[in-house]
Amino acid sequence: MTDFTALSAEIRELAAERGAVVLAHNYQRAEVQDVADFVGDSLGLSRRAAATSATTIVFAGVHFMAETAKILAPEKRVLLPEPNAGCPMADMVTGEALVAWKERHPGVPVVTYVNSSAEVKAESDVCVTSANAVAVVQALGASRILFAPDKNLGSWVARALPDVEVVLWDGWCPTHEDVIPEQLLAARAEHPDALIMAHPECRPEVVDLADAVLSTSQMLAYAAESPADEYVVVTESGLIHGLHRAAPRKRFFELSPRILCPNMKVTTLQKVRDALASSTGEVTVSDDIRVRAIAAVERMISIG
Ligand code: CIZ
Ligand code: SF4
């Protein structure tokens, strides 16, 4: 095993020197999670970014997450250690394409998953996360909505709220879309006493086989609070590290093959160190887009 001790110490020293805070997403490499000041989901981390007194935020995650932090904390410098860390799902819709879609459905509110660019958020009425999508859409009270970009999360909302017609954008997370029902059936056979927790970015036929459908933050809370001792975890592999921290005496099983998001794994300790040392990878959002994007994010926060 690589010894990360020296690099981690250097990162902590640099962060203190520069007045920086290091945030890491639940899907990051274990050693990157361990060096961070806070680990969490994209919205939780963005709220940390807004609340911290630090002037620089190093965001170990993917581009849309750093952008969301910048939207909520515009006066701070937000650094993405690996600028090529993107999200293929977020890239499946552009602001321009969303505007054209809205024009075909005049007057129908646009509900957008936080896994989207600032430009797309700016064209949306309200954002949602996987933790609050059902609650936010319910509170919206509309009989028909447009939902982008994740068709799987949108289908989950539609099934939870049969009175709402959900028009789906054709987007998906390649990492979660790859999970097939047979993998869950095999895990169920191998671990008959375990509860299966699945992320709503998985296909409906996968979600149907789970005992609980949860966001990453919800999985952490569920595993800590539920009386069960064993869990099968159907989301990106990085969450296993956090689950062991949240519930140290419980057992967590992954599917085979493992669920991995390559974009979440490109950020290494070296890259976090380099971003801190040379202030590289700054993420910016133009004022015009930011003001409209924050309205959609704040509407979610106020109703979710
Ligand atoms: O919102 C997030 O951080 C993502 C991508 C997943 C989740 O369920 O927390
Ligand atoms: Fe995007 Fe999926 Fe990777 Fe999350 S796990 S960053 S939704 S590709």
Side-chain angles (χ1 to χ4, degrees), residues 27 62 64 86-89 115 173-176 201 236 261 263-264:
Y27 294 158
V62 297
F64 79 80
C87 168
M89 182 209 292
N115 293 29
C173 161
T175 298
H176 287 86
E201 284 173 24
E236 213 280 341
C261 172
N263 282 281
M264 279 289 176

Side-chain angles (χ1 to χ4, degrees), residues 49-72:
T52 178
S53 57
T55 50
T56 295
I57 290 142
V58 180
F59 205 117
V62 297
H63 189 265
F64 79 80
M65 298 179 177
E67 246 185 6
T68 309
K70 183 70 183 177
I71 289 168
L72 289 178

Side-chain angles (χ1 to χ4, degrees), residues 81-92:
E82 168 51 71
N84 292 319
C87 168
M89 182 209 292
D91 293 341
M92 287 178 190

